Amino acid sequence: TVNKLTIRQGGLEIHGTVGQAVVPEGHGTIVVRDCENLKETEVYDVLKEYIAEGYVGVKGRTTADLWDIVPEVCKIGTKSYGTLIDAVAAVQSGETINLVRDYEGDGVVVPGGKNFTLDFGDHTYKVIGNMAGSAGTQNQCFQLLKGSTLVFQNGTIATSCAKLGINTYSDVTIKNVTIDMSQTEATGQVACLETCNGTVSVEGESNLITKEDQIAVLVLYWPNGVYGDIDVTLNTTGEVNGLMAYGSYQVQDLSTVAQHSHVAIKNGKYDCTFDMDGLESYDYKISGGIFTNKPDESLVADKYEVTENTDVATKAQYPYTVGRKGVAQIGTTIYYDLKDAIDAVPVGTETETVITMLDNVSGTATFTIPLNKNICLELNGKSIYASSEAEGNFALFANKGIFSVQDNTD
């Protein structure tokens, strides 16, 4: 039975209904009247005495003088909020918003000048209603405006209607978060993550999941006088599927895009293709990860290479991997620094140790062949360069060691 409720306290009269006779079990709507001279916080201070634990009053969701009593969605410290939007509006610098349950609601705009952590607490925030975004592009789960420093961690962002999971112009760290765009009913271009400005770091066990032929990450340089450089790093143990897109908007000189848009892939499982939007130059550096499709060498970082994935557990789905390129080899052992190979040669043996070069070496170091080592350096068609800063201008210096050089390539 729905029972009438009247609360009179301090001259404030509150009328409403509750689902049960014992206040305040369950949901209820409290109508606040004749309170023009009271601040909203003062009204809430009265109401909160009648609100059940785990519930919170939300004002103005239906009309300006209505309070809805709803289950709490998140907390900042001990204070509860009925919507994530309310919590974002209230959060102070350095604080953490903690999601306390799975929730279906509206998209969220984070204004500039914010500095906080949003901890999803292993819950899912699913956007099913009003979406975030600027006028004409209100199609996003989260819009992060320029000038904020944010951490999103430990949970899932999902949607039934949005085109964008996170559209960011801020500096944001995404850690142990799944952005799942696979169930959206939106048509047209769909993306998990889009950035036009700032630094983005995808870390931990984060996953970017989208529909087939849609976008996982879109890096879009847009120098319209407001937005600046872009730095994106993906260093996740999770999965990324979809298109990895890199491009620009309203740029006259396309040669400048690579100077301002930087992408580094350091780890992860990628069922992806890469689209550089026809650009002749781009700053894309892959130095780790496993891949369904072989990355083009132009995308691979210096001193790294694409090789066959030999891991039994993953090679069927991800046949390619990117790893450090070896510089030298002794027997079957690969070394990534020539000095390490020289150091590995045993001392005081008459047996010659052959070091086979796997790549060119250059820099300011002078490589010393120490006393009592017997080394044959097989150049294998490679070269060792010493810059003018190298000690004595020597690339190699045999300090009473036994040393020979050969090159058996054709």
Side-chain angles (χ1 to χ4, degrees):
T1 303
V2 175
N3 297 277
K4 293 292 183 179
L5 167 69
T6 300
I7 302 171
R8 294 183 177 87
Q9 182 170 329
L12 174 66
E13 185 171 308
I14 301 169
H15 304 278
T17 59
V18 292
Q20 299 180 26
V22 179
V23 179
E25 298 291 331
H27 285 284
T29 300
I30 295 179
V31 183
V32 180
R33 301 185 186 280
D34 302 324
C35 59
E36 290 83 355
N37 295 324
L38 293 173
K39 294 180 181 180
E40 182 176 320
T41 54
E42 293 174 330
V43 176
Y44 186 80
D45 284 343
V46 175
L47 292 179
K48 68 183 182 182
E49 297 184 24
Y50 304 94
I51 297 175
E53 183 177 355
Y55 286 75
V56 63
V58 179
K59 184 176 185 291
R61 299 207 326 175
T62 309
T63 62
D65 63 349
L66 291 182
W67 287 77
D68 292 335
I69 309 305
V70 299
E72 63 183 5
V73 171
C74 50
K75 286 185 172 184
I76 302 173
T78 59
K79 185 170 177 56
S80 298
Y81 294 87
T83 71
L84 183 54
I85 294 172
D86 290 341
V88 168
V91 68
Q92 300 298 304
S93 181
E95 291 184 327
T96 297
I97 301 173
N98 292 286
L99 203 68
V100 298
R101 64 183 178 94
D102 291 348
Y103 184 71
E104 296 182 350
D106 294 338
V108 179
V109 177
V110 178
K114 291 286 188 177
N115 177 7
F116 67 87
T117 295
L118 173 54
D119 193 326
F120 291 86
D122 295 327
H123 297 293
T124 297
Y125 189 90
K126 184 175 183 179
V127 174
I128 61 170
N130 299 318
M131 289 173 281
S134 304
T137 58
Q138 292 168 317
N139 55 14
Q140 302 152 33
C141 296
F142 288 86
Q143 184 189 43
L144 316 179
L145 297 180
K146 182 182 176 183
S148 288
T149 301
L150 309 167
V151 177
F152 283 21
Q153 64 186 28
N154 305 328
T156 299
I157 297 168
T159 183
S160 61
C161 56
K163 289 188 173 184
L164 275 172
I166 294 179
N167 183 23
T168 177
Y169 307 85
S170 294
D171 294 335
V172 58
T173 298
I174 300 168
K175 185 175 183 180
N176 300 323
V177 171
T178 294
I179 304 176
D180 186 356
M181 301 297 291
S182 64
Q183 302 302 314
T184 184
E185 298 177 3
T187 57
Q189 179 177 290
V190 171
C192 292
L193 176 64
E194 178 179 333
T195 177
C196 300
N197 180 85
T199 299
V200 178
S201 181
V202 181
E203 304 174 359
E205 190 179 352
S206 293
N207 303 283
L208 306 179
I209 309 299
T210 188
K211 292 183 174 182
E212 186 177 359
D213 299 326
Q214 291 292 3
I215 296 173
V217 179
L218 172 57
V219 175
L220 190 68
Y221 178 53
W222 185 12
N224 65 345
V226 177
Y227 303 124
D229 288 5
I230 305 168
D231 286 281
V232 176
T233 301
L234 291 98
N235 190 10
T236 173
T237 59
E239 299 179 2
V240 178
N241 73 354
L243 187 68
M244 302 292 287
Y246 179 103
S248 62
Y249 180 64
Q250 295 180 340
V251 176
Q252 298 298 318
D253 184 359
L254 294 179
S255 67
T256 64
V257 176
Q259 302 170 23
H260 300 283
S261 298
H262 317 287
V263 179
I265 295 178
K266 298 184 177 182
N267 196 13
K269 305 178 182 74
Y270 295 86
D271 184 2
C272 297
T273 56
F274 296 86
D275 184 355
M276 299 296 109
D277 198 30
L279 293 169
E280 294 183 2
S281 61
Y282 35 84
D283 187 5
Y284 221 96
K285 292 183 172 65
I286 303 176
S287 59
I290 53 178
F291 300 84
T292 298
N293 302 299
K294 185 177 182 180
D296 189 85
E297 289 185 1
S298 66
L299 304 174
V300 178
D302 187 36
K303 299 186 182 301
Y304 288 79
E305 62 183 345
V306 182
T307 59
E308 178 185 348
N309 181 12
T310 59
D311 178 65
V312 174
T314 60
K315 66 180 183 179
Q317 183 175 359
Y318 304 100
Y320 303 100
T321 184
V322 173
R324 183 100 178 260
K325 185 185 294 185
V327 169
Q329 183 172 354
I330 300 175
T332 59
T333 303
I334 304 296
Y335 297 89
Y336 302 101
D337 190 302
L338 180 55
K339 181 180 181 300
D340 292 339
I342 294 171
D343 290 345
V345 174
V347 175
T349 176
E350 295 183 2
T351 304
E352 181 181 72
T353 299
V354 178
I355 299 177
T356 302
M357 298 297 297
L358 302 177
D359 196 13
N360 297 324
V361 174
S362 62
T364 61
T366 295
F367 298 101
T368 301
I369 309 301
L371 177 69
N372 296 328
K373 290 200 175 188
N374 187 351
I375 294 175
C376 174
L377 186 64
E378 167 57 57
L379 290 176
N380 193 31
K382 310 302 184 211
S383 300
I384 301 174
Y385 303 94
S387 71
S388 59
E389 289 81 16
E391 183 180 352
N393 291 330
F394 294 121
L396 285 162
F397 176 66
N399 184 18
K400 299 182 181 180
I402 302 173
F403 177 60
S404 62
V405 179
Q406 65 185 34
D407 192 337
N408 289 323
T409 56
D410 293 334

